[in-house]
Every structure is written in structure tokens, then in C-alpha cells.
Amino acid sequence: MESTATVLIADDDRAIRESLERALQLEGYTVRTVADGVQALAAVHAEPVDLLVLDVMMPGVDGLGVARVLRAEHDRTPILMLTARVETPDRVAGLDAGADDYLAKPFELDELLARLRALLRRAAPIAEDLDGEAPLRVGELRLDARARRVWRGEREVELSKTEFDLLELLMRNAGIVLDHATIYDRIWGYDFGPESKNLAVYISYLRRKLEDGGPPLIQTVRGVGYTLRQG
């Protein structure tokens, strides 16, 4: 079950660390806490965890630095980034570092818990019904769901867990316009509401990684959602 997962919280604010630790323990999680990025890396290297909650602004190695190091080591542990910065460039910086989701401070505990549950669901072992499934193909884009690898032509594209799940959803529904609510439900497990920029930011960053000067693949249908069409 999700509630038996081990979560590492890295935040230099002691009050936030302690309040999150209590709240997550009440939900049944095993919780470890550290005060900075150096301690976070040491903790993960010493004993892997199921999910990391990283504050962006920490002394020494910040949350972005922790994410970059772990991804460079091919550690795919889901990462939820906590940030006081809510502008799009700051969110993109988190995605670029390898975060799977981000949450702006101050936040509601219920929303944080929902995001943790969604990240853990997506990190669950691949279902047996994927055994032997042929890679998905849309034009020169190829996705291997079992190996969780993506190529555009001969170039392999490195994606975070959330980016991969979003692309897989679009590829499995290629040519079909998926509305915002459907995508939020399928990827995050709940709708963030009409004011949320989460989906737009992830779509933007996914486009940057996939297109790289090539023909556009992900199309925006204004007022509705997104679709993936052969470029």
C-alpha cells in the first residue's frame, strides 16, 4: 500500500520538517528528515527511499542540486519539489533538474498528500499486461512502456516520470484531443482547477525535449486541451 512507503523530507525550516513528519506519520508513512541537500544525498545513498520531498531553497546544495545529482546517477526516485517561487521559469528549472512535481508554498496538507499518492502510484511496478507489448509509435517518435524509454528518430530522450507518463497518455490517444480535466485525472489523480499552470508547464517542457528543432508533435486545442499528431 502507498501509506507504507518511506518518504525523505529535506527542508532547512525545522517547523516545516517537523509538521510534515507528524502529518505523514499519521497517514502511515515512514518518514526521514534532513535539513539540507548534502544530508539528503547522504541519506538516499545510505538507504534508498520511495519518494523525496525537497525544498528548493536550502543552504549548500539546494533541492535542484539534489535532483540533478540523483538523476545523473540514474536514480528515478519520485521527487516532489517545494518552492516559494511560482513563476514559470522557476517551475521549468525544477523540471530541468529532474523533479516529477512541484508544490508552491504555502500549501494545503491535503494537496501535498494527494500529490504524494499520485507520485507513488506512478512509481508502482509496471503491470504484467505490458509484457510483450510492442513499443508505441507516432511518426518518428517511439516509446517503450515496459523499459520506460523514449526515442525521437535515433535520439533517445531523457524524461522525468511525470513527463514520461504524460507522453505515454498522449501517444496512446494519438489524434484524439484530451481535455485538461482528463489529463489531470489520469496523470495526477485529481484536477488542480482552472487556474493551475501545472499542465501547461509540463507540456511546454515536454515539447522542448521532444522537438529540438523538429516538426511539432503536441498540438494545443485552445479552450479544450492537447493532442499528439504525427509530425
Side-chain angles (χ1 to χ4, degrees):
M1 293 177 60
E2 294 166 350
S3 59
T4 62
T6 298
V7 179
L8 177 67
I9 299 169
D11 197 307
D12 62 331
D13 187 320
R14 180 178 177 182
I16 291 179
R17 284 200 314 274
E18 292 181 348
S19 64
L20 285 180
E21 181 178 20
R22 287 193 298 271
L24 294 185
Q25 286 176 339
L26 287 174
E27 292 293 319
Y29 292 97
T30 298
V31 183
R32 295 156 58 190
T33 66
V34 294
D36 59 46
V38 173
Q39 293 178 32
L41 288 170
V44 173
H45 289 155
E47 186 177 353
V49 296
D50 298 301
L51 193 147
L52 292 99
V53 178
L54 304 176
D55 183 34
V56 169
M57 301 297 291
M58 291 187 291
V61 179
D62 62 12
L64 300 180
V66 173
R68 290 190 187 101
V69 169
L70 293 177
R71 295 311 186 229
E73 296 173 344
H74 304 292
D75 185 321
R76 296 302 177 191
T77 304
I79 295 174
L80 172 64
M81 202 75 76
L82 301 180
T83 177
R85 299 172 173 177
V86 296
E87 297 302 318
T88 297
D90 298 311
R91 299 178 183 185
V92 170
L95 300 180
D96 193 23
D100 296 287
D101 199 359
Y102 54 85
L103 187 59
K105 295 179 178 180
F107 52 82
E108 296 291 335
L109 178 60
D110 285 345
E111 182 174 3
L112 180 137
L113 292 173
R115 294 193 186 211
L116 295 187
R117 289 193 296 269
L119 285 172
L120 289 169
R121 281 196 298 272
R122 298 205 303 276
I126 299 170
E128 292 183 1
D129 60 6
L130 291 179
D131 287 351
E133 180 184 26
L136 300 173
R137 294 178 183 272
V138 178
E140 61 178 0
L141 194 62
R142 178 164 52 98
L143 180 147
D144 186 331
R146 184 169 178 78
R148 295 186 71 83
R149 297 174 68 185
V150 175
W151 297 264
R152 178 146 194 197
E154 297 300 316
R155 176 176 64 91
E156 184 166 1
V157 183
E158 289 289 332
L159 300 179
S160 72
K161 187 176 299 296
T162 299
E163 292 163 355
F164 185 94
D165 292 341
L166 179 55
L167 179 61
E168 182 180 6
L169 176 64
L170 292 170
M171 289 185 70
R172 289 189 183 278
N173 295 275
I176 300 172
V177 178
L178 298 177
D179 61 62
H180 297 93
T182 296
I183 298 175
Y184 273 122
D185 180 68
R186 294 285 297 278
I187 300 301
W188 283 276
Y190 56 98
D191 191 343
F192 293 163
E195 300 304 315
S196 175
K197 296 181 179 179
N198 269 41
L199 179 55
V201 171
Y202 276 87
I203 288 287
S204 173
Y205 200 65
L206 193 54
R207 281 171 170 157
R208 285 176 52 192
K209 286 191 173 184
L210 291 175
E211 293 171 6
D212 193 26
L217 294 171
I218 302 173
Q219 308 292 327
T220 300
V221 180
R222 290 192 176 278
V224 182
Y226 301 94
T227 184
L228 188 145
R229 298 192 177 104
Q230 182 169 332

